[in-house]
Structures are given as C-alpha cells and as structure tokens.
C-alpha cells in the first residue's frame, strides 16, 4: 500500500491534538464505509453510464470521521475523536462477489437478507446474554425494529434501502495503479482479484472520557430528538496525488464536499451493537448561490509554468446544478440523484446492556390457581367406536381410490406392469372396480382394515351378545347371523348419516364443534342488538354444551375465555376474573386467558399478580408479539409506581425495552406489522385493551403513540374516539373523531362508521354541527348517523360490515322510513346472514303491511336463531294480521306462548301484541300480554287497554283499578277523560 492510500501517522484514528493523555480504552468504535451509491451522472461516462477505468481516473474519494461534543455546526463544540481514516476511494462497478466481500460474513443474518439487502435503520447485530432457559431466542437472532430504532430511521430524509448498487465509490487497501510487465500488455486485472480486496473498516479505541460522552449523547437523543448527539462524517472528492501534478487544482472539490451525521439513537435499544445506515449526502454550499456566482466574472485560470504539463480542461470547468426539483428548479447533483453513503457503525460493547437473566416472579400461575383434575377417561361405547372406525376406513378407502385412479390413468402405480390387470380405457366400471379390489388385497390394506375392526367387534359381542359356553351349533349359527345383521345395520346407519350431510348441504348438518360455536354466534348476535341478558345466557349455554361437544372428556378453555371477555364488556369484573380462572384451571398455558387475566389485574393495580400471568404468557408463546407487548406494558406501568429499590426501577426500565425489542422481532419473524411503524405495537395493545374495556391501559398506549409521533396521531385519535364512545362519553368521542378527520384530510370509511355509531348512540335529538363557513346549525342525530353510514358505503362498500347495514336499517325504522329500512336490511342479510338481519327485514315489511314478505323473513330468522323471543312475538303479530280462519289464530297463539317461554321482556312489543289480540277479540291472551307489559314497565296507555280487556272479561273490580291508575298517572287529558267516563258508567251499571 502506498502513501496515497495509507493514512499518515499524524492522521490516524485518535483524539484531537489538544486532547489530554488518554486513559485505557473501555470500548471501541468500528466504522465500515461500505460504499457511496446513486452517484452524479457526470462522474461516469455519458454514453454508457459506466465508470472510467480506475487507472485513468484522476480523482480519489476521502472520508473523515469525527466524534464531536455538539453537532450544531462545523466549528461548534470540542472534538473528542477525529480521523482521516478512509482515503483512496475508487469509482467501480459492483459485482455480487465484491458486494459480499464488502458486506462481510454476516451479510445474510440480522438486518441483511440473503439477497444482500437490509432496511434503512435496522440493526444487524445485537449483543446477547449467555443462552439460558429464559432467553427468548438464540443469541444469533437480532431485533428487526423497535420504537427508538424506527424513529431514527424515519428521521432520515433518505428512503434508500441497503441494496447493492451497480456503480459505487469503494475504498481499497491496494494502490490504484497497476504496472503490467513490459513483455506483454495483458488486460486489466479482474475486479475481484485477490490483491484488490476492499478494506473499508477502521476501529477506534474509546477511552473513558469519550465513552462517557457517547453515553451522554445517547441519553440526550432518547430524551430529546435523534439529532442531538451523533457521529459526524465528511466526504470529499479530491485529486489523487499519484496521478496529477502538484500544481493542479480541482474547481469542484468544495462543490462535492458533504457532511452528514450518524444518529446514535438506534443504540438505545438494549443489546444493540451494530447499526447499518444510509446517510444522505447534502451539499455544503447552495446550488442557487453557485449558479448566481457563475453569472459574475470568473477568475482567469492559472497558467501552467514553463515546461509543466497543463491540467485537463474538465478540472477547471465548474459543474452546474441540474434541473430536478418539483418545479424544475436547480438542485445539487447529490439531491437530484439521492446520493447516499452506506456505513456500518459497531461498538465492541453495547451502549445499553441487558440484565443477564430475565426478571421473573418467584411463583407461577399454578401456585395461585389450582389446576382442575381432569375427569377419568371413559371408554367410548362399542357401537359408537365401531361407527367411528367405519368412517375412518371409508375415508382411507376413498383417498386410496382417488390416488389409484389417477395413477392408473397415467400408466403408473404398483400394478402397472401386471398383464392380468386391465389397462384403461376400461370396458366397463366393473373392470375398474375389480382392479381397485385387486389393489386393496395385494397391497395389504384390506387386511389392515379388517384388523382394525376386530377389537370393536369383540367389544360389541361382549356388550350385546353375551352367550353362555357350551351352546349348540344351531345357536352359534343364529348368533353369527344376528351379529352380521347388527354390524351391517350399524355400518349402513353410519354411512347414511355421513352421506346425508353432503346431500342436504353444509347447513343441514354441522360437526359437533360447529354446534358448539353456534352458541357463540348467537351470543354475538344478541350482543350486537344490546340484548345483554340473552347474550350472557347463550355464553352460559356454550359452557354447558362444550364438554358434550368434546365427547364429555374435557371443558373448553376458549369458551371460558370468551365468556370472561364478554363479562368485561358488560363491566362485570368479578365474573370475568372467575371465568379467567376457570379457563386457566382447565389449561394453564392458554395464552389468551393468561393475557386477559394479566391485563385485568394490571388495570386493577395488582401488579405482582399481573406479572405472574404476563410472564407465563411469554413463556407459553415466545413468538407472540402481543405477549411481549403486554409484558412491556407491565414494566412501563410498574415504572409509574414507586419501586422498592433504585435497582428494581432500573431493571423494570431495562426489561421494558427488552420486551419491546422482542415484540418487534416476533412480529417481523411472523410476517406481522409491528416493525412497520414505531407506534404499531402500542396501537395493537390499545386495541386489545380496548376490546377488554380496560380504558386506563388503553389511554397509556395512546399516550405512547402520541409521544412517538410528536403530537396527536390520527390512529391514536381514532382509538381514543372509540374508547370515549365505549365509555358512553359521546360528545368527547365526537370531538376526537372529528379531529382525526381534520388531521387525516380525507374522511375514511372507518371514520364515517365510527361517527355514525356515535350519532346513533346519541338518539333522536338536535345536535350542533359546524358548517363549512364556520357557523353552526342543528340537525337530528339519527339523520347525521344515517348520513355518515351512507358516506362510508359510498367510499368503500366492501369495507362496510353487515352490522353497519343493520344499524342503518334501525335508524331508518326510527325515522319512520320503513321502505329504506327494508332495503338496508336486505343488504345486511347478504353480508351478515343471521337472525338479527332477517328479523329487521321482517319488522320493516310488517310496518309496510307486506305481511307475506314479513312472514317469510321472520321464518328465515327463526331458522337461524329460534331462541329470540322478539322474532316469535312478531310472528304472532303477522299471524293475527293475516288471520283468515282458526288455523292462523292457533299459529299466533303458539308463537306467543313460545315468546313468553323464551322470556319476552320488551314492554312496547308486549303492549302491541296485547292491543292486536284485543282488536281480534282474543281477550284472555290480550290480558296476559298487557299484564306482562305492565310488569316490565308502567305505562298509562297500557293501563287503559288492560282496563278495557278486563271490562270485557267482566272483572269489574280489576278494571276499575286500572281506570283509576289512568286517571291518576296519565299525562294526556283525553285518556283521563275517557277513564273517568268509564268509571262513571261502571258505577251506574254496578248500582
């Protein structure tokens, strides 16, 4: 290596000249200058775009590294580390082999993929503690992203990725001249020759003072902005002394000099030691000012001395800015081409270390919740076991038949060479059947199937055909005949039952697990229409039927977990906690229940218990981003409470960062989106806690998102609006969502749906709405909700769920627009076919007096959910309206009794049924419906109708009491007058 490439002794890495004698190094800093890519076009040949031969290129590129106390200016602050460490950079084409040499042996791990690319701002190496049972992953794994890391990446104005360029500036350790032997003129040496290995790495020892300063810069970066403390790089294009005369000058040397800063913030992630960054090159002088200077008088070029070689003309020609801006303005070539310097900075020791062992409590969930003793395994009945084995054999035979047929058609298979086996095309289907039977017998499958059935047949004989020893031959023959007939009947019954499911369609018969999920579907429908009592009953029915669906062997932890989350949604924390305990008693490693119970305890301030279950969730599924995120949330909440010791406070802080790093890595490995933005993990946690109605934890996550965004983020406002709506603070929810619309600029379908829900919850009433000119006017809340729902459908109809169409139908019904309501429910039934949507359609048709259509819709609703009492009540009304004889009255009575048995508790609907029975002169049932309505809610008009019914039943004393109640409580004077008149008439009649 010559002097032009090797840094001189006074320029080697080390402290500034005025620095004090250094202490022994406590850490070391390694800088790898990988390459400069996206080069200005004037640096390459104009016709081919290829770089000039390095032996003919008069330029070299130099890179300086400096660690300064302040990064606010070129001369501000002291310099702790300064080195002219990279000289002799060459302009070369980059091959795959050369790229692999530059990236180093770890190019395929960590942040760098096998294809040689890595995202900007992604650490490639992370120091790990010694492997142990508590480690989340092997030591070689590296976190892909995190909040601080992504903040640093987003701070860069360059959106480049660490991909391999075609042409780049590369630093070499060998001289840039090559003198071939004079005897021959061989071609230029290959690009990746052994003597031309790129050397682009420099290591600087960091004494205690410099290391402490780096730590201070890192703390400032975490607390303030990514640009507070950084490592400074200076790159310039200079003349190569070995190629030029001493008196030659480059007119563009200052023009192509650039300074950049490497952020230290990524090293705030615990254990991070290496960070790859694409540093955008910014010009050191204004291109517009340079263009203005060109308009003035240029200084005359220097004349070469007598006998000296004149410099080339391009050295004195100044490069001009290029037109590449949005409006065609002049910009620097660096900015036009997005030129950037790719560097890799590494520390020998991480700036933020991790504790050697993950902090864990001394107890486990099993110490708090005793595991439930599993019931003894009960052997399946012999006949059921026989049917189960028959179905398995049928499935195996069908699979063998399909595979065998495909092989025979292709001339393959085990019998392809047998001359006795018919070849396709077959003369008849009988030949194909014989060929398949020959395959079963020759392959041993028939023998295996027979052996599988022997055990069940022996059990059937013992259970169903117990015989005494010493029976005669005739008795044995009769026994064989009965056994054969019994087995044949059971086989036919099993096959017919299995085949009938396919023939009648998928909705006719469903597996047992689908029957169990039926209760969850019904509970979801009831919750959607705010029937909390009915939804809770369906959840409890699911808990009862879950063991039967599992063969009576075990209960379902998922069913208990769903019930616990439902109890949280109805604000019943005591039942929710007990349900979570039941789920964990069945399966101690059930992650959703561990997370739900741990977050519930955390929200209630029971930190020590919460840690037990959240740590257990991480141990149960270390690849779950939400488990790690919930653990990070625990450590963050624990920091808000006074710690027992300062060391415990530091441990909580360290492990909170570690948990976030592990969550980012788990999401990236699982193809998730946590690594896509710094606030993604907090948004996911906010969604989980919001679904559990743990609003204090949701607010903590929202604050994290806003803090990372430096203000109110749109997604955070949306989540906060949902939270306020969930807490029934509709005015605050409306404010947050409208603010999100303003920040987003264009309202999305999601925002329209949420605003529609808020206005719908406000009910019928006037709401002040701002006009475009700033003034306000009042509109009905239901009308506003309808407008927002329809706007969401216009933006993206596919994104609008069926529940929104159902809510729109309810709004139209509340406004009395039943025709529009029917249309909305038809769309709802297409996207969300369930009992709720069909019932809404039936009610709308009933109000429109389209009784035939109403009856069809209500019958469809009953097919999907025959446990909804409202559906049966409206069936009663339709039958009474369509009454054309005794048969319709009987149907109405049966439907009404079914509604009462299912617990009909809608006072208005009961009153309507009673009024219809009274109109049809079915007085006894009218009195029952009206009495039930008054039991639910007192209403003067119902008292008046009940009094008329009792009067027809000649129960005068009770009728008089009802008329008196109307006189005393009714706010309407006509009703009071009519009641007084009836009381006077009754008094005269009874006298």
């Amino acid at each position: 290596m010559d002097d032009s490439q090797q840094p001189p002794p006074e320029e080697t890495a080390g402290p500034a000249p005025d620095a004090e004698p250094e202490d022994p190094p406590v850490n070391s800093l390694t800088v790898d200058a990988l390459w400069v890519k996206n080069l200005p076009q004037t640096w390459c040949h104009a016709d081919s775009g290829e770089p000039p031969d390095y032996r003919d290129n008069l330029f070299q590129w130099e890179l300086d590294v400096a660690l300064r106390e302040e990064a606010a200016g070129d001369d501000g602050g002291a310099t702790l580390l300064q080195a002219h460490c990279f000289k002799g950079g060459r302009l070369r084409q980059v091959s795959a082999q050369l790229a692999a040499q530059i990236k180093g042996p770890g190019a395929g791990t960590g942040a760098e993929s096998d294809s040689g690319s890595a995202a900007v701002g992604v650490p490639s190496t992370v120091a790990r503690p010694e492997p142990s049972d508590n480690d989340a992953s092997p030591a070689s794994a590296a976190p892909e992203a995190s909040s601080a890391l992504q903040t640093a990446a987003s701070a860069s104005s360059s959106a480049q990725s660490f991909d391999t360029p075609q042409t780049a500036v590369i630093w070499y350790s060998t001289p840039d001249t090559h003198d071939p032997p004079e005897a021959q003129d061989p071609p230029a040496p290959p690009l990746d020759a052994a003597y031309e290995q790129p050397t682009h790495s420099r290591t600087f020892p960091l004494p205690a003072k410099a290391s402490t300063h780096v730590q201070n810069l890192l703390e400032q970066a975490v607390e303030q902005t990514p640009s507070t403390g950084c490592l400074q790089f200076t790159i310039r294009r200079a003349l190569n002394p070995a190629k030029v005369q001493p008196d030659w000058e480059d007119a563009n040397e200052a023009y192509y000099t650039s300074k950049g800063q490497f952020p230290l913030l990524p090293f705030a992630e615990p254990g991070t030691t290496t960070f790859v960054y694409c540093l955008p090159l910014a010009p050191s002088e204004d291109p517009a000012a340079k263009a203005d200077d060109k308009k003035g008088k240029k200084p005359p070029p220097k004349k070469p001395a007598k006998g000296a070689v004149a410099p080339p003309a391009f050295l004195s020609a100044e490069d001009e800015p290029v037109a590449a801006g949005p409006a065609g303005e002049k910009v620097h070539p660096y900015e036009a081409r997005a030129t950037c310097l790719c560097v890799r900075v590494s520390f020998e020791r991480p700036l933020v270390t991790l504790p050697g062992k993950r902090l864990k409590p001394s107890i486990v969930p099993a110490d708090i919740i005793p595991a439930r003793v599993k019931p003894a395994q009960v052997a399946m009945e012999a006949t059921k076991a026989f049917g189960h084995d028959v179905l398995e054999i049928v499935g195996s035979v069908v699979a063998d038949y399909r595979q065998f047929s495909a092989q025979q058609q292709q001339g393959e298979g085990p019998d392809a060479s047998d001359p006795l086996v018919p070849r396709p095309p077959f003369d008849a289907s009988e030949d194909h059947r014989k060929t398949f039977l020959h395959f079963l017998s020759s392959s041993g499958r028939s023998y295996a199937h027979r052996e599988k059935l022997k055990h069940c047949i022996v059990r059937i004989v013992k259970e169903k055909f117990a015989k005494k020893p010493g029976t005669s031959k005739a008795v044995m023959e009769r026994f064989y005949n009965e056994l054969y007939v019994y087995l044949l009947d059971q086989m036919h019954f099993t096959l017919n039952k299995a085949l009938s499911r396919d023939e009648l369609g998928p909705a006719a018969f469903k597996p047992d697990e689908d029957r169990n999920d039926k209760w969850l579907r019904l509970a979801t429908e009831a919750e959607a229409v705010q029937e909390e009592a009915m939804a809770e009953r369906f959840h409890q029915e699911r808990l009862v039927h879950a063991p039967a669906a599992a063969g009576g062997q075990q209960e379902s932890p998922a069913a208990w977990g769903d019930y616990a989350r439902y109890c949280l949604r109805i604000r019943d924390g005591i039942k929710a906690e007990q349900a979570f305990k039941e789920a964990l008693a069945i399966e101690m490693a059930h992650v959703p229940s561990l997370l739900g119970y741990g977050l519930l305890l955390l929200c209630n301030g029971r930190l020590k218990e919460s840690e037990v279950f959240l740590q257990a969730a991480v141990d149960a599924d270390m690849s779950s981003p939400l488990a790690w995120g919930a653990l990070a949330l625990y450590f963050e909440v624990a920091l808000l409470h006074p710690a027992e010791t300062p060391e415990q406070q530091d441990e909580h802080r360290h492990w909170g960062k570690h948990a976030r790093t592990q969550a980012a890595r788990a999401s990236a490995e699982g193809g998730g989106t946590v690594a896509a933005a710094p606030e993604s993990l907090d948004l996911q946690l906010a969604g989980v806690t919001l679904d559990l109605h743990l609003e204090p934890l949701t607010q903590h996550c929202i604050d994290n998102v806003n803090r990372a965004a430096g203000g109110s983020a749109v997604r955070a406002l949306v989540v906060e609006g949902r939270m306020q709506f969930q807490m029934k603070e509709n005015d605050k929810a409306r404010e947050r969502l409208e603010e999100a619309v303003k920040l987003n600029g264009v309202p999305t379908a999601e925002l329209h749906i949420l605003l529609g829900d808020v206005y719908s919850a406000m009910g019928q009433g006037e709401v002040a709405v701002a006009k475009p000119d700033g003034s306000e006017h009042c509109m009905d809340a239901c009308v506003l909700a309808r407008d927002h729902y329809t706007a969401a459908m216009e933006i993206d109809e596919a994104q609008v769920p069926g529940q929104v169409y159902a809510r729109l139908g309810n709004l139209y019904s509340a406004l009395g627009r039943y025709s529009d309501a029917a249309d909305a429910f038809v769309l709802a039934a297409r996207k969300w076919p369930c009992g709720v949507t069909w019932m809404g359609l039936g009610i709308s048709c009933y109000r429109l007096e389209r009784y035939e259509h109403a009856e069809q819709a209500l019958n469809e609703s009953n097919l999907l959910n025959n446990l909804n009492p409202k559906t049966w009540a409206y069936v009663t009304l339709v039958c009474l309206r369509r009454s054309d004889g005794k048969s319709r009255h009987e149907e109405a009575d049966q439907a009404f009794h079914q509604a009462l048995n299912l617990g009909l508790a809608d006072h208005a609907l009961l009153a309507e049924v009673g009024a219809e029975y009274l109109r049809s002169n079915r007085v006894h049932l009218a009195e029952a419906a009206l009495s039930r309505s008054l039991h639910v809610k007192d209403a003067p008009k119902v008292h008046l109708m009940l009094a008329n019914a009792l009067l027809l039943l000649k129960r005068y004393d009770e009728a008089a009491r009802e008329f008196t109640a109307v006189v005393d409580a009714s706010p309407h004077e006509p009703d009071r007058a009519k009641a007084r008149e009836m009381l006077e008439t009754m008094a005269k009649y009874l006298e």
Side-chain angles (χ1 to χ4, degrees), residues 337-628:
R337 296 282 294 170
T339 308
C340 60
L341 167 66
C342 294
V343 292
R344 179 167 53 220
V345 174
S346 304
F347 289 92
E348 181 182 1
R349 297 181 179 87
L351 301 182
V352 179
T353 59
L354 286 174
K357 187 177 182 181
R358 180 152 62 92
L359 189 64
K360 277 189 175 184
S362 58
I363 59 176
V364 295
D367 298 330
I368 302 176
I369 303 174
R372 180 176 298 178
V373 179
K374 294 183 179 181
Q377 295 290 334
V378 180
M380 187 182 298
E381 186 181 348
T383 302
K384 291 183 178 180
F386 175 79
H388 184 267
D389 290 346
V390 166
L391 288 179
E392 287 187 352
I393 292 173
V394 169
S396 176
V397 170
V398 170
D400 290 339
Y401 179 80
R402 291 173 177 171
Q403 181 181 4
F404 174 79
S405 299
Q407 292 177 349
Q408 290 295 314
Q409 292 294 335
Q410 297 174 3
E412 301 174 358
D415 299 330
S417 60
D418 191 347
L420 299 179
V421 177
R423 303 267 72 80
F426 300 106
D427 297 337
S429 59
E430 183 66 21
D431 291 338
H432 193 54
R433 187 183 72 86
K434 290 180 179 180
T435 305
F436 179 65
L437 293 177
H438 179 268
F439 162 73
L440 289 179
S441 59
S442 61
S443 63
R445 285 175 170 79
S446 298
Y447 177 79
H449 296 332
R450 288 195 300 269
E451 291 297 320
K452 185 174 185 177
L453 292 175
K454 277 185 179 180
H455 180 68
C456 294
I457 294 174
V458 170
R459 289 181 55 196
I460 289 176
V461 171
K462 292 180 179 180
E463 293 180 8
K464 303 290 184 180
F465 299 92
K467 299 294 181 181
K468 297 181 179 179
T471 54
S472 62
K473 184 178 180 180
V475 174
M476 291 300 299
E477 289 180 354
R478 188 166 59 253
F479 160 71
Y480 288 138
N481 291 335
E482 293 176 356
L483 177 60
Y484 175 77
V485 171
Y486 180 82
L487 295 177
L488 196 63
D489 290 343
Q490 292 299 323
M491 182 189 70
H492 289 161
F493 173 77
T494 302
L495 293 178
N496 291 335
K497 184 177 180 181
L499 295 176
S500 62
R501 297 181 181 181
D502 296 332
E503 293 172 359
L504 296 179
F509 293 92
K510 295 184 178 180
D512 291 337
E513 57 269 16
D514 289 343
R515 294 178 184 175
N516 185 35
D517 290 342
K518 162 194 170 184
W519 298 107
L520 179 61
R521 174 178 60 82
L522 296 179
T524 304
E525 295 176 12
E527 189 177 0
V529 294
Q530 300 179 352
E531 294 285 351
E532 295 180 356
M534 188 184 305
E536 185 173 5
R537 181 165 66 88
F538 288 149
H539 275 291
Q540 293 172 351
E541 289 285 348
R542 185 186 180 205
L543 295 175
V544 173
H545 289 82
Q553 300 298 323
Q554 60 181 357
E555 295 185 74
S556 170
W560 281 104
D562 292 336
Y563 179 55
R565 284 183 283 275
Y566 169 75
C567 292
L568 286 176
R569 290 195 292 272
I570 62 173
R571 310 287 180 178
D572 195 340
I574 297 177
K575 285 185 180 180
E577 182 174 355
Q578 186 60 37
F580 277 132
K581 288 182 177 180
E582 292 290 341
L584 294 175
I586 298 170
E587 183 180 341
M588 203 61 67
H590 190 243
V591 176
S593 297
L594 287 171
L595 286 176
Y597 190 36
L599 292 174
L600 174 61
L601 295 174
L602 181 61
C603 185
N604 293 336
R606 297 157 62 179
L607 299 182
K608 293 185 177 180
E609 296 178 70
S610 171
E611 184 185 8
V612 173
F613 293 95
L614 295 179
Q615 292 278 13
V618 171
D619 292 336
D621 187 5
M622 288 189 173
S623 62
S624 171
L626 286 179
W628 283 107

Side-chain angles (χ1 to χ4, degrees), residues 945-983:
M945 289 189 292
L946 179 59
N948 291 327
L950 293 172
L951 193 61
L952 293 175
L953 292 173
K954 298 182 180 181
R955 293 159 57 178
Y956 302 116
D957 294 340
E958 299 177 30
R961 287 196 298 268
E962 296 300 328
F963 283 127
T964 303
V966 174
V967 173
D968 296 338
S970 178
H972 301 288
E973 179 58 30
D975 292 342
R976 292 198 302 269
K978 185 177 181 179
R980 283 193 293 267
E981 181 183 356
M982 293 302 299
L983 285 173

Side-chain angles (χ1 to χ4, degrees), residues 36-40 43 279-282 333-335 337-341:
V36 179
K37 64 178 184 176
N38 302 335
L39 306 177
W43 291 7
L279 188 70
L281 298 185
Y334 283 164
E335 298 176 343
R337 296 282 294 170
T339 308
C340 60
L341 167 66

